[in-house]
Amino acid sequence: MFSRIKTMTSRSHGEGGFSLIEVLVSVVILGVLATSSLYLTIGGLDSSESQRRTNVAVTLAGSAMESVVARPTSVNGSTGLSAIYDGRSHAATLAHWDINDEIPGFDRMNPAWDTHAGGATVATVPFSETIRVNGTDYTVETMIGQCFQPTAGGHCTTDDLGSASVELTRVITVVWWFAGSSCETGTGCSYHTSTLIDTTPDVEWIAN
């Protein structure tokens, strides 16, 4: 009788406990799950932060573009250029051109400047400016040049076709930033947008 009770008791203890191997396996599984969850959380936060920075860049590019479009399109004195070129000297324009010559669309416009602007003149529309938003520095580059739109259709390019083309102003705005795991390299991240502006004088209607 005693032997039977002892056997049942031993079995009861064996079935109710955990071996050291089972405990170690459980710890390893929990560690793997926790690590995976941590990577997913960090990845999600990084993706969210990256999207936030992109949204800021889009906003800054749009704001810079609006500041150009809002400028008067009337002819600026004897320069034959729109007032959006005010303060953009020859030397500063060419220097800015050399820095940004690899930007898409840049090869489709000719440099243009305010012929009355000197070396100390400040451009009304800045060539470049750095804006800090939520701890991240964004560099906003604004290029303004001339291109010729064929009257028969096609892209606005650097080729002047005379009466077969219309002179337009091309504006390209690029925003650069170097923050975030995917943007900390030498190339950084960028967002760019462009538009065409017709700065030629409107046709005067003669009413009799």
Side-chain angles (χ1 to χ4, degrees):
M1 182 68 178
F2 177 76
S3 177
R4 183 180 178 184
I5 293 174
K6 182 178 180 181
T7 302
M8 291 176 64
T9 303
S10 298
R11 287 179 181 175
S12 177
H13 282 294
E15 292 175 356
F18 293 96
S19 68
L20 180 59
I21 294 177
E22 289 174 329
V23 173
L24 291 175
V25 170
S26 299
V27 170
V28 171
I29 292 175
L30 288 175
V32 171
L33 291 176
T35 302
S36 299
S37 177
L38 180 62
Y39 276 117
L40 288 173
T41 301
I42 294 175
L45 292 174
D46 187 62
S47 177
S48 177
E49 190 68 12
S50 177
Q51 183 60 47
R52 184 188 64 79
R53 290 192 178 98
T54 300
N55 291 339
V56 171
V58 171
T59 301
L60 293 176
S63 178
M65 185 65 73
E66 288 176 4
S67 69
V68 178
V69 176
R71 296 289 299 160
T73 57
S74 58
V75 175
N76 182 14
S78 61
T79 64
L81 299 175
S82 167
I84 62 177
Y85 293 96
D86 284 352
R88 291 186 163 231
S89 67
H90 181 198
T93 298
L94 295 184
H96 197 234
W97 223 257
D98 291 338
I99 296 174
N100 298 281
D101 60 355
E102 294 184 357
I103 293 174
F106 204 68
D107 57 342
R108 294 183 178 178
M109 63 180 183
N110 298 315
W113 52 87
D114 179 359
T115 56
H116 296 301
T121 307
V122 178
T124 303
V125 178
F127 287 100
S128 178
E129 59 180 335
T130 300
I131 302 173
R132 191 172 184 82
V133 180
N134 296 327
T136 300
D137 289 331
Y138 299 86
T139 300
V140 183
E141 307 276 353
T142 303
M143 284 73 67
I144 307 174
Q146 294 173 307
C147 62
F148 300 90
Q149 177 74 52
T151 55
H155 294 293
C156 193
T157 67
T158 57
D159 299 327
D160 185 358
L161 304 178
S163 60
S165 63
V166 177
E167 183 180 315
L168 300 177
T169 298
R170 184 189 297 279
V171 182
I172 299 179
T173 300
V174 184
V175 180
W176 300 89
W177 68 99
F178 296 84
S181 58
S182 59
C183 303
E184 291 177 346
T185 60
T187 57
C189 288
S190 65
Y191 172 82
H192 82 276
T193 183
S194 63
T195 191
L196 294 173
I197 303 175
D198 186 356
T199 57
T200 57
D202 293 334
V203 176
E204 295 184 6
W205 294 91
I206 301 176
N208 293 326

